Protein backbone atom coordinates (compact mmCIF):
# COMPACT_ATOMS: atom_id res chain seq x y z
CA UNK A 1 0.00 0.00 0.00
CA UNK A 2 1.30 3.41 -0.89
CA UNK A 3 2.19 5.94 1.81
CA UNK A 4 -0.47 8.27 0.39
CA UNK A 5 -3.11 5.76 1.50
CA UNK A 6 -2.36 6.74 5.12
CA UNK A 7 -2.40 10.50 4.45
CA UNK A 8 -4.98 12.30 6.61
CA UNK A 9 -4.84 15.64 4.75
CA UNK A 10 -8.03 16.93 3.13
CA UNK A 11 -8.61 16.39 -0.58
CA UNK A 12 -11.49 17.44 -2.79
CA UNK A 13 -12.51 16.15 -6.22
CA UNK A 14 -15.25 17.53 -8.46
CA UNK A 15 -17.41 14.65 -9.70
CA UNK A 16 -20.15 14.47 -12.32
CA UNK A 17 -22.38 11.61 -11.19
CA UNK A 18 -25.13 9.71 -12.98
CA UNK A 19 -26.75 7.32 -10.53
CA UNK A 20 -29.47 5.96 -12.82
CA UNK A 21 -28.18 2.79 -14.56
CA UNK A 22 -30.91 2.98 -17.21
CA UNK A 23 -30.19 6.53 -18.33
CA UNK A 24 -33.70 7.82 -17.60
CA UNK A 25 -32.27 10.84 -15.78
CA UNK A 26 -34.32 10.14 -12.66
CA UNK A 27 -32.61 11.40 -10.60
CA UNK A 28 -30.76 13.52 -13.18
CA UNK A 29 -26.95 13.60 -13.34
CA UNK A 30 -25.37 16.17 -11.04
CA UNK A 31 -21.98 17.65 -10.28
CA UNK A 32 -20.78 17.54 -6.67
CA UNK A 33 -17.55 18.09 -4.77
CA UNK A 34 -16.35 14.99 -2.92
CA UNK A 35 -14.30 15.95 0.14
CA UNK A 36 -12.44 13.74 2.60
CA UNK A 37 -9.11 12.53 3.89
CA UNK A 38 -6.55 11.75 1.23
CA UNK A 39 -6.26 8.11 2.24
CA UNK A 40 -10.01 7.44 2.35
CA UNK A 41 -11.35 5.00 -0.22
CA UNK A 42 -12.89 6.87 -3.14
CA UNK A 43 -15.76 4.36 -3.09
CA UNK A 44 -16.57 5.27 0.52
CA UNK A 45 -16.27 8.99 -0.18
CA UNK A 46 -18.62 8.68 -3.17
CA UNK A 47 -21.17 6.70 -1.15
CA UNK A 48 -21.09 9.31 1.59
CA UNK A 49 -21.57 12.15 -0.90
CA UNK A 50 -23.95 10.84 -3.59
CA UNK A 51 -25.31 7.67 -2.00
CA UNK A 52 -24.55 4.03 -2.73
CA UNK A 53 -25.14 2.68 -6.25
CA UNK A 54 -28.38 0.79 -6.92
CA UNK A 55 -28.34 -2.86 -5.90
CA UNK A 56 -26.11 -5.03 -8.11
CA UNK A 57 -24.40 -1.97 -9.65
CA UNK A 58 -20.99 -0.41 -9.00
CA UNK A 59 -19.39 2.95 -9.64
CA UNK A 60 -17.58 3.27 -12.97
CA UNK A 61 -15.10 5.86 -14.18
CA UNK A 62 -16.22 7.15 -17.59
CA UNK A 63 -15.27 9.92 -19.99
CA UNK A 64 -17.62 12.10 -22.08
CA UNK A 65 -17.71 11.58 -25.82
CA UNK A 66 -20.02 13.04 -28.45
CA UNK A 67 -23.51 13.82 -27.24
CA UNK A 68 -24.51 11.75 -24.22
CA UNK A 69 -22.16 8.85 -24.97
CA UNK A 70 -19.55 8.05 -22.33
CA UNK A 71 -16.45 5.89 -22.76
CA UNK A 72 -15.93 3.36 -19.96
CA UNK A 73 -12.48 3.70 -18.42
CA UNK A 74 -12.78 1.33 -15.46
CA UNK A 75 -14.71 0.12 -12.44
CA UNK A 76 -14.01 2.08 -9.25
CA UNK A 77 -12.75 -0.36 -6.62
CA UNK A 78 -11.93 0.20 -2.91
CA UNK A 79 -8.16 0.31 -3.54
CA UNK A 80 -8.49 3.77 -5.13
CA UNK A 81 -8.00 6.50 -2.55
CA UNK A 82 -9.44 9.98 -2.69
CA UNK A 83 -5.93 11.26 -3.34
CA UNK A 84 -5.58 8.80 -6.22
CA UNK A 85 -8.90 9.96 -7.65
CA UNK A 86 -7.70 13.56 -7.44
CA UNK A 87 -4.54 12.64 -9.34
CA UNK A 88 -6.56 10.86 -12.02
CA UNK A 89 -8.78 13.94 -12.36
CA UNK A 90 -5.77 16.20 -12.95
CA UNK A 91 -7.75 19.30 -12.02
CA UNK A 92 -10.71 18.33 -14.20
CA UNK A 93 -14.11 16.90 -13.33
CA UNK A 94 -14.22 13.12 -12.90
CA UNK A 95 -17.18 11.45 -14.61
CA UNK A 96 -18.76 8.60 -12.65
CA UNK A 97 -21.80 6.51 -13.49
CA UNK A 98 -23.09 3.11 -12.37
CA UNK A 99 -23.62 1.42 -15.73
CA UNK A 100 -21.15 -1.45 -16.08
CA UNK A 101 -20.05 -2.52 -19.53
CA UNK A 102 -19.24 -6.06 -20.59
CA UNK A 103 -16.70 -7.64 -22.89
CA UNK A 104 -13.14 -8.70 -22.15
CA UNK A 105 -11.21 -8.30 -18.91
CA UNK A 106 -12.81 -5.76 -16.58
CA UNK A 107 -10.77 -2.54 -16.56
CA UNK A 108 -10.20 -0.96 -13.15
CA UNK A 109 -9.68 2.64 -12.09
CA UNK A 110 -7.05 1.16 -9.76
CA UNK A 111 -4.88 0.43 -12.81
CA UNK A 112 -5.17 4.02 -14.02
CA UNK A 113 -4.17 5.43 -10.63
CA UNK A 114 -1.26 3.03 -10.18
CA UNK A 115 -0.01 3.88 -13.67
CA UNK A 116 0.04 7.57 -12.71
CA UNK A 117 -2.29 8.47 -15.59
CA UNK A 118 -5.08 11.02 -15.92
CA UNK A 119 -8.53 10.00 -17.10
CA UNK A 120 -8.23 12.30 -20.11
CA UNK A 121 -4.96 10.69 -21.25
CA UNK A 122 -6.44 7.19 -20.90
CA UNK A 123 -9.37 8.23 -23.08
CA UNK A 124 -7.00 9.55 -25.75
CA UNK A 125 -4.99 6.32 -25.58
CA UNK A 126 -1.72 5.63 -27.37
CA UNK A 127 1.10 3.13 -27.07
CA UNK A 128 2.64 4.72 -23.98
CA UNK A 129 -0.70 4.73 -22.16
CA UNK A 130 -1.38 1.09 -23.01
CA UNK A 131 2.10 0.07 -21.83
CA UNK A 132 1.71 1.97 -18.55
CA UNK A 133 -1.70 0.40 -17.91
CA UNK A 134 -0.43 -3.11 -18.70
CA UNK A 135 2.47 -2.68 -16.26
CA UNK A 136 0.19 -1.31 -13.54
CA UNK A 137 -2.29 -4.11 -14.07
CA UNK A 138 0.43 -6.73 -13.62
CA UNK A 139 1.53 -5.07 -10.35
CA UNK A 140 -2.07 -4.93 -9.15
CA UNK A 141 -2.62 -8.62 -9.88
CA UNK A 142 0.31 -9.51 -7.62
CA UNK A 143 -0.84 -6.99 -4.99
CA UNK A 144 -4.35 -8.46 -4.92
CA UNK A 145 -2.91 -11.98 -4.63
CA UNK A 146 -0.61 -10.91 -1.79
CA UNK A 147 -3.51 -9.27 0.08
CA UNK A 148 -5.42 -12.57 -0.10
CA UNK A 149 -2.37 -14.52 1.04
CA UNK A 150 -1.77 -12.13 3.96
CA UNK A 151 -5.35 -12.62 5.22
CA UNK A 152 -5.05 -16.38 4.83
CA UNK A 153 -5.63 -18.90 2.06
CA UNK A 154 -8.91 -19.97 3.67
CA UNK A 155 -10.33 -16.46 3.24
CA UNK A 156 -12.57 -15.43 0.37
CA UNK A 157 -10.62 -13.86 -2.53
CA UNK A 158 -11.53 -10.23 -3.20
CA UNK A 159 -13.71 -9.34 -6.16
CA UNK A 160 -10.67 -7.76 -7.83
CA UNK A 161 -8.59 -10.93 -7.43
CA UNK A 162 -11.46 -13.01 -8.79
CA UNK A 163 -11.71 -10.74 -11.81
CA UNK A 164 -7.99 -11.02 -12.44
CA UNK A 165 -8.03 -14.81 -12.30
CA UNK A 166 -11.18 -15.13 -14.41
CA UNK A 167 -9.54 -13.17 -17.22
CA UNK A 168 -8.34 -16.56 -18.45
CA UNK A 169 -10.62 -19.56 -18.66
CA UNK A 170 -7.51 -21.71 -18.94
CA UNK A 171 -4.19 -21.09 -17.19
CA UNK A 172 -0.94 -22.93 -17.63
CA UNK A 173 0.61 -23.27 -14.20
CA UNK A 174 3.75 -21.49 -15.41
CA UNK A 175 1.79 -18.44 -16.59
CA UNK A 176 -0.37 -18.38 -13.44
CA UNK A 177 2.65 -18.53 -11.12
CA UNK A 178 4.42 -15.82 -13.10
CA UNK A 179 1.35 -13.57 -12.96
CA UNK A 180 0.31 -13.94 -9.31
CA UNK A 181 3.55 -15.04 -7.61
CA UNK A 182 1.73 -17.12 -4.97
CA UNK A 183 4.07 -20.08 -4.67
CA UNK A 184 3.63 -23.84 -5.00
CA UNK A 185 0.94 -24.29 -2.34
CA UNK A 186 -1.14 -21.11 -2.39
CA UNK A 187 -1.41 -20.95 -6.18
CA UNK A 188 -3.33 -24.22 -6.57
CA UNK A 189 -5.41 -23.36 -3.48
CA UNK A 190 -6.61 -20.15 -5.14
CA UNK A 191 -7.35 -21.93 -8.40
CA UNK A 192 -9.39 -24.59 -6.60
CA UNK A 193 -11.32 -21.99 -4.59
CA UNK A 194 -12.31 -20.34 -7.87
CA UNK A 195 -13.44 -23.66 -9.38
CA UNK A 196 -10.47 -24.33 -11.62
CA UNK A 197 -9.36 -27.95 -12.01
CA UNK A 198 -6.15 -29.41 -13.31
CA UNK A 199 -6.94 -30.76 -16.75
CA UNK A 200 -3.44 -31.49 -18.08
CA UNK A 201 -0.01 -32.29 -16.69
CA UNK A 202 2.23 -31.64 -19.72
CA UNK A 203 2.15 -28.71 -19.54
CA UNK A 204 0.28 -28.39 -16.25
CA UNK A 205 -2.98 -26.65 -17.15
CA UNK A 206 -5.92 -25.53 -14.99
CA UNK A 207 -9.36 -24.91 -16.50
CA UNK A 208 -12.36 -23.01 -15.15
CA UNK A 209 -15.14 -25.54 -14.59
CA UNK A 210 -17.56 -23.23 -12.79
CA UNK A 211 -20.10 -23.26 -15.60
Amino acid sequence: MRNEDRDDSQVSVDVWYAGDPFGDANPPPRTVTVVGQAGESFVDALARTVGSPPEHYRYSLVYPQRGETRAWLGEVTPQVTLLGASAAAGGEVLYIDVLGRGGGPTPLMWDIVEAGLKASSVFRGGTAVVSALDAARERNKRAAAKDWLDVGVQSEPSMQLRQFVYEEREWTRKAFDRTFDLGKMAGPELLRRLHYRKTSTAPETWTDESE
Side-chain angles (χ1 to χ4, degrees):
M1 183 176 291
R2 291 178 166 187
N3 289 335
E4 66 196 38
D5 293 343
R6 294 187 293 270
D7 193 341
D8 61 359
S9 60
Q10 290 286 302
V11 173
S12 64
V13 184
D14 290 330
V15 171
W16 178 96
Y17 178 66
D20 176 12
F22 303 107
D24 295 330
N26 184 20
R30 53 194 167 119
T31 301
V32 299
T33 300
V34 179
V35 182
Q37 293 184 339
E40 180 182 6
S41 170
F42 187 41
V43 166
D44 292 343
L46 280 170
R48 189 182 67 249
T49 306
V50 300
S52 299
E55 189 176 4
H56 306 308
Y57 290 88
R58 299 185 181 92
Y59 300 119
S60 291
L61 175 66
V62 296
Y63 200 81
Q65 294 178 280
R66 296 184 184 89
E68 296 182 357
T69 305
R70 298 185 291 275
W72 190 36
L73 300 186
E75 180 186 331
V76 183
T77 56
Q79 293 91 342
V80 178
T81 64
L82 195 52
L83 183 59
S86 177
E92 300 179 359
V93 174
L94 278 187
Y95 285 74
I96 303 291
D97 70 17
V98 296
L99 182 60
R101 285 78 169 171
T106 305
L108 302 177
M109 185 179 176
W110 187 22
D111 303 326
I112 295 171
V113 171
E114 288 297 305
L117 297 170
K118 296 180 176 62
S120 57
S121 65
V122 174
F123 173 70
R124 289 192 295 268
T127 302
V129 167
V130 172
S131 296
L133 284 173
D134 285 346
R137 194 167 182 80
E138 289 304 308
R139 291 194 300 271
N140 289 341
K141 288 176 181 179
R142 290 190 289 273
K146 184 178 185 302
D147 286 346
W148 171 74
L149 189 61
D150 288 346
V151 174
V153 297
Q154 299 306 314
S155 64
E156 284 298 315
S158 68
M159 177 60 70
Q160 286 69 53
L161 182 54
R162 290 172 179 268
Q163 289 174 338
F164 287 143
V165 175
Y166 288 141
E167 284 181 8
E168 301 291 342
R169 182 177 180 274
E170 191 172 87
W171 285 98
T172 65
R173 182 64 189 282
K174 182 177 180 180
F176 185 86
D177 289 348
R178 183 175 62 248
T179 299
F180 295 99
D181 193 26
L182 280 170
K184 294 182 178 181
M185 301 298 290
E189 178 65 24
L190 177 59
L191 285 164
R192 286 191 293 268
R193 288 187 71 83
L194 297 184
H195 307 291
Y196 285 75
R197 297 292 179 265
K198 186 161 69 172
T199 54
S200 175
T201 56
E204 182 177 332
T205 304
W206 292 69
T207 303
D208 179 9
E209 296 187 348
S210 58
E211 294 184 355

